[in-house]
Amino acid sequence: MENCQGWAARDPSGVLSPYKFNRREPRNDDVSIKISHAGVCYADVHWTRNSFGDSKYPLVPGHEIVGVVTEVGCDVARFKVGDHVGVGVYVDSCRDCEYCDVRREIYCQKGLVTTFNSLDKDGTITKGGYSSHIVVHERYCHKIPDGYPMEKAAPMLCAGLTVYTPMIKHNMNQPGKSLGVIGLGGLGHMAVKFGKAFGLKVTVISTSESKREEAISLLGADKFILSKDSDQMASAVKPLDFIIDTASGDHQFDPYLSLLKVDGLMVLVGFPSEIKISPIQLNFGSRCIAGSATGGTKDTEEMIDFCAKNKIYPDVEIIKIDYINEALDRLTKNDVRYRFVIDIEKSFS
């Protein structure tokens, strides 16, 4: 019954190795997908290494998945065999709560099922995209437009969506406005690309001086601030309308909030262990801070179409699955520009 090849972690060491398991046969509303590529997200590090104490082993990670439809259930209307499709952070939800009703399924109140390490409705534990194929309800599949490179599409299903969704929700797409991006990794570099596509003036804020050249010359940012340099931070007070904070490591917030104009907004998409803010930074500047987690199916489809129309692509490093342990170690050291993508098709051929 082991019809799927994959790589799994067996314990909190997080070391992955070959693993065979069984995927369900497609139901009437399911799509079966031969996976071609899978992006490597920091979530894969967290859950393979049991960072949150809830990892269920053997654990097959991966929630940035693209591939080709090989089979559809009899009730599937949106896809056909041969279509290029993607699957993101979740593969099911209750479909009838107030958030599912408006296609913001990521906030489902009754039964969000994530793509891996989650209890599925049939009692099994979901297994992700570090595998040869996946079977998913059609609602949680997304058409990848013809001509959009599959290896570039994979990271959009998490990294891209995570920054695109709050930018649209909070009107960070007004040409001429100013955007600060904290952190220049998988999420941060996509925030820069979206910001430029929206016509914003983009400032990258980083703790590393080595990021200056790539931020401006490679990604097209307008300005760069070294956050460890107090003079640079002080000279940049109140130039920004918006900030996207992609940093997951613990860091101070007040120095960054001081960069916002009156009525400015900071959106947090990373996961530091805590947030400490002086009320003065919020109250005396009429500033706001908000959080955001990826996006719903509506956001996903709009983002994919926007990227295809505007030729927005993540910068990726292609690897095979047998390099994944080295890649995850490099990811913990921020040693990637800017997203690893596993060539699944070549890995399991």
Side-chain angles (χ1 to χ4, degrees):
M1 295 298 292
E2 297 172 343
N3 62 14
C4 189
Q5 299 180 73
W7 276 53
R10 268 61 170 207
D11 57 54
S13 71
V15 175
L16 286 92
S17 58
Y19 171 65
K20 290 185 177 180
F21 62 99
N22 188 57
R23 296 279 193 197
R24 71 172 184 257
E25 291 299 312
R27 301 166 184 153
N28 290 352
D29 47 12
D30 278 343
V31 176
S32 183
I33 304 161
K34 180 182 179 182
I35 299 173
S36 66
H37 296 85
V40 179
C41 178
Y42 210 96
D44 303 342
V45 174
H46 282 312
W47 270 281
T48 56
R49 301 182 184 186
N50 200 28
S51 298
F52 304 116
D54 65 348
S55 296
K56 305 171 185 68
Y57 300 102
L59 189 151
V60 179
H63 60 203
E64 298 179 341
I65 303 166
V66 293
V68 180
V69 175
T70 57
E71 186 177 352
V72 297
C74 61
D75 293 334
V76 171
R78 297 172 52 229
F79 303 101
K80 64 182 185 304
V81 171
D83 282 348
H84 289 186
V85 297
V87 177
V89 175
Y90 47 91
V91 292
D92 211 344
S93 63
C94 77
R95 304 177 213 162
D96 66 2
C97 70
E98 61 178 303
Y99 301 106
C100 287
D101 283 347
V102 292
R103 299 180 64 197
R104 299 182 72 196
E105 296 92 343
I106 188 65
Y107 302 111
C108 175
Q109 298 296 288
K110 298 180 182 178
L112 184 72
V113 179
T114 57
T115 303
F116 66 86
N117 196 56
S118 188
L119 182 65
D120 209 343
K121 292 178 179 177
D122 62 4
T124 62
I125 302 301
T126 56
K127 294 177 171 58
Y130 292 16
S131 56
S132 55
H133 82 280
I134 192 168
V135 179
V136 183
H137 187 284
E138 70 165 328
R139 175 170 176 154
Y140 309 95
C141 295
H142 309 284
K143 181 76 168 64
I144 305 300
D146 293 341
Y148 199 97
M150 297 289 270
E151 71 276 10
K152 303 282 191 178
M156 305 308 297
L157 278 303
C158 177
L161 184 62
T162 297
V163 293
Y164 177 88
T165 299
M167 292 180 80
I168 295 300
K169 177 184 177 183
H170 296 290
N171 300 312
M172 297 185 189
N173 57 350
Q174 304 171 59
K177 294 283 189 176
S178 54
L179 170 71
V181 178
I182 301 174
L184 196 61
L187 276 65
H189 95 288
M190 288 310 306
V192 174
K193 288 174 182 273
F194 284 130
K196 296 303 295 181
F198 292 144
L200 304 179
K201 299 173 183 176
V202 179
T203 298
V204 170
I205 309 162
S206 174
T207 59
S208 175
E209 176 64 31
S210 64
K211 298 283 189 177
R212 181 184 298 271
E213 181 66 20
E214 59 193 77
I216 293 175
S217 299
L218 180 64
L219 297 175
D222 299 283
K223 295 180 181 179
F224 179 92
I225 298 174
L226 182 65
S227 58
K228 294 188 294 186
D229 187 321
S230 57
D231 290 337
Q232 288 188 39
M233 291 289 284
S235 65
V237 168
K238 298 181 181 178
L240 303 174
D241 295 293
F242 312 109
I243 291 176
I244 292 275
D245 184 352
T246 71
S248 284
D250 287 340
H251 56 283
Q252 293 182 312
F253 284 82
D254 287 347
Y256 297 115
L257 286 168
S258 72
L259 302 179
L260 287 170
K261 295 178 180 178
V262 171
D263 296 326
L265 170 71
M266 173 189 281
V267 175
L268 181 68
V269 295
F271 288 87
S273 63
E274 63 178 0
I275 299 174
K276 291 184 178 180
I277 298 171
S278 167
I280 292 174
Q281 287 293 346
L282 297 182
N283 297 350
F284 285 0
S286 186
R287 301 181 180 107
C288 298
I289 184 167
S292 183
T294 64
T297 54
K298 181 175 182 290
D299 302 313
T300 306
E301 290 160 12
E302 290 177 356
M303 178 208 63
I304 291 171
D305 290 343
F306 181 83
C307 290
K309 179 180 178 180
N310 292 278
K311 296 182 170 30
I312 298 171
Y313 310 111
D315 294 357
V316 302
E317 180 178 335
I318 307 297
I319 63 171
K320 283 190 174 183
I321 191 72
D322 58 8
Y323 186 73
I324 189 57
N325 291 306
E326 292 87 346
L328 291 174
D329 284 339
R330 283 178 57 191
L331 184 57
T332 65
K333 301 169 185 174
N334 297 317
D335 181 23
V336 56
R337 188 184 291 177
Y338 292 95
R339 203 70 158 182
F340 286 116
V341 173
I342 307 167
D343 189 325
I344 296 291
E345 190 170 18
K346 290 183 178 178
S347 296
F348 292 118
S349 58

